[in-house]
């Protein structure tokens, strides 16, 4: 009889500890998943702040983590400092995954922004003279894209069959143009030092460059699919995350399309329903 009494007393003392432990585990898990950190470029803050507000009403809390260059968001995603990011196109991610041995994936298209050439000195690429300086973004995918824009306008010829050309893949440069490779964020700031700067769409927006003042614009064709931007997650299993799906759905709306037009002054196109 004494044995059973001791057993009952012991159970009475231990059971609450199991309950508390279980509750503590559940609370920690809930807390961990309560907020989704999304890495964005600072130019997209207005767009994502609106999505953030809409999702809060659905019980999804987003914390925005802003970046100013392309070198950080994927590393932050890989390190677990953020759960999603939205800043890059497929060609950029393909190069990143290959170089860093990561498996970051696209979970939903956002927009496509044509690359543009700007100048404070000339009004047309036809005015480019021998020996003029041209600045380009230096990351593999965007440098190739910039060079292809110049090639489309007859300023140079590129080697055939090179997916992401660099200045070393220029096969003909009749005007002996001088190229300056810069971090993408610096291209807009180089306008006073060069004749032409080829600038990414979001960087141009951040620098308050007006799309209407561009002296050349990249053509959007079937070959432009690698330049579609998207929301990215760390691995393929994240594609089935219900919360992440809600975030993608909230982005791919008419409301967001209107904001893209406003923020980027008509220079950026919603990509989730775009017909290439």
């Amino acid at each position: 009889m004494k044995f059973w009494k001791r057993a009952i007393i012991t159970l009475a003392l231990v059971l609450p500890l199991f309950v508390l432990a279980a509750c503590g585990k559940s609370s920690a898990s809930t807390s961990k998943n309560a907020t989704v950190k999304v890495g964005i470029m600072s130019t997209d803050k207005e767009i994502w702040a609106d999505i953030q507000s809409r999702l809060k009403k659905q019980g999804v809390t987003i914390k925005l983590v802003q970046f100013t260059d392309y070198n950080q968001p994927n590393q932050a995603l890989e390190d677990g400092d953020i759960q999603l990011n939205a800043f890059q196109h497929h060609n950029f991610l393909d190069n990143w995954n290959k170089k860093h041995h990561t498996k970051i994936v696209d979970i939903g298209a956002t927009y496509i922004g044509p690359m543009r050439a700007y100048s404070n000195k000339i009004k047309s690429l036809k005015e480019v003279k021998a020996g003029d300086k041209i600045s380009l973004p230096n990351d593999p995918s965007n440098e190739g894209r910039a060079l292809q824009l110049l090639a489309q306008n007859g300023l140079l010829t590129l080697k055939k069959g090179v997916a992401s050309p660099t200045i070393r893949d220029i096969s003909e440069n009749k005007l002996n143009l001088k190229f300056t490779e810069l971090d993408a964020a610096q291209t807009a700031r180089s306008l006073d030092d060069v004749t032409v700067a080829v600038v990414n769409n979001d960087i141009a927006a951040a620098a308050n460059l007006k799309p209407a003042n561009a002296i050349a614009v990249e053509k959007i064709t079937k070959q432009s699919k690698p330049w579609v931007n998207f929301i990215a997650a760390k691995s393929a299993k994240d594609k089935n995350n219900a919360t992440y799906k809600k975030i993608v759905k909230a982005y791919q709306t008419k409301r967001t399309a209107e904001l893209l037009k406003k923020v980027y002054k008509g220079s950026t196109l919603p990509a989730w329903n775009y017909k290439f």
Side-chain angles (χ1 to χ4, degrees):
M1 190 67 178
K2 290 181 179 180
F3 170 80
W4 287 109
K5 283 183 178 180
R6 284 198 300 269
I8 291 170
I9 291 170
T10 301
L11 183 61
L13 291 171
V14 173
L15 186 58
L17 296 177
F18 279 109
V19 173
L20 287 172
C23 288
K25 183 177 181 181
S26 175
S27 177
S29 177
T30 300
S31 175
K32 183 179 179 181
N33 296 323
T35 300
V36 178
K37 293 182 181 179
V38 182
I40 63 170
M41 297 300 288
S42 57
T43 46
D44 284 337
K45 182 180 178 181
E46 184 176 347
I47 295 163
W48 276 96
D50 186 80
I51 295 167
Q52 182 183 47
S53 177
R54 283 185 271 142
L55 282 170
K56 192 171 184 179
K57 298 174 184 177
Q58 300 178 36
V60 178
T61 300
I62 288 181
K63 181 177 180 180
L64 299 177
V65 181
Q66 296 181 58
F67 296 95
T68 56
D69 67 66
Y70 298 150
N71 298 313
Q72 300 172 351
N74 279 337
Q75 191 61 56
L77 184 60
E78 187 65 19
D79 291 343
D81 297 328
I82 57 178
Q83 285 73 57
L84 301 174
N85 69 38
F87 79 102
Q88 65 195 318
H89 48 60
H90 290 93
N91 194 287
F92 184 94
L93 179 61
D94 289 345
N95 279 284
W96 177 276
N97 277 337
K98 184 177 180 179
K99 181 178 180 180
H100 295 86
H101 307 289
T102 50
K103 296 181 180 180
I104 296 171
V105 296
D106 162 14
I107 64 169
T110 55
Y111 60 77
I112 183 167
M115 188 171 272
R116 291 172 168 80
Y118 293 88
S119 177
N120 288 341
K121 301 174 181 178
I122 60 176
K123 300 295 182 182
S124 167
L125 286 181
K126 293 180 180 179
E127 297 176 34
V128 172
K129 304 186 300 298
D132 277 348
K133 296 179 180 179
I134 297 179
S135 62
L136 312 165
N138 64 3
D139 59 278
S141 58
N142 287 311
E143 180 172 3
R145 194 178 175 189
L147 288 169
Q148 287 167 352
L149 171 60
L150 297 175
Q152 288 172 3
N153 285 273
L155 289 182
L156 52 85
T157 303
L158 296 168
K159 294 177 184 177
K160 294 182 179 180
V162 181
S164 298
T166 69
I167 57 174
R168 289 167 288 283
D169 297 305
I170 297 173
S171 59
E172 188 175 61
N173 180 10
K174 289 183 178 180
L175 292 176
N176 193 30
L177 300 173
K178 310 300 181 183
F179 297 98
T180 302
E181 299 164 292
L182 301 172
D183 183 279
Q186 302 300 319
T187 51
R189 299 176 188 175
S190 71
L191 276 166
D192 289 334
D193 302 317
V194 299
T195 303
V196 177
V198 185
V199 187
N200 288 69
N201 191 61
D202 54 345
I203 302 301
N208 293 315
L209 296 178
K210 296 180 180 179
N213 292 338
I215 61 174
V217 184
E218 179 184 23
K219 297 176 182 178
I220 301 298
T221 67
K222 289 181 179 180
Q223 284 69 47
S224 302
K225 288 183 180 181
W227 315 128
V228 170
N229 284 46
F230 52 86
I231 299 170
K234 186 173 180 178
S235 65
K237 66 180 182 181
D238 292 321
K239 290 184 177 183
N240 297 318
N241 184 298
T243 301
Y244 297 172
K245 285 182 177 180
K246 285 183 179 180
I247 294 172
V248 171
K249 185 176 181 181
Y251 193 104
Q252 296 177 345
T253 59
K254 183 179 179 181
R255 168 66 181 169
T256 304
E258 292 170 350
L259 278 172
L260 286 170
K261 184 177 181 180
K262 173 189 172 185
V263 171
Y264 284 101
K265 300 176 177 62
S267 68
T268 297
L269 305 170
W272 54 91
N273 288 323
Y274 193 85
K275 305 298 182 184
F276 289 94

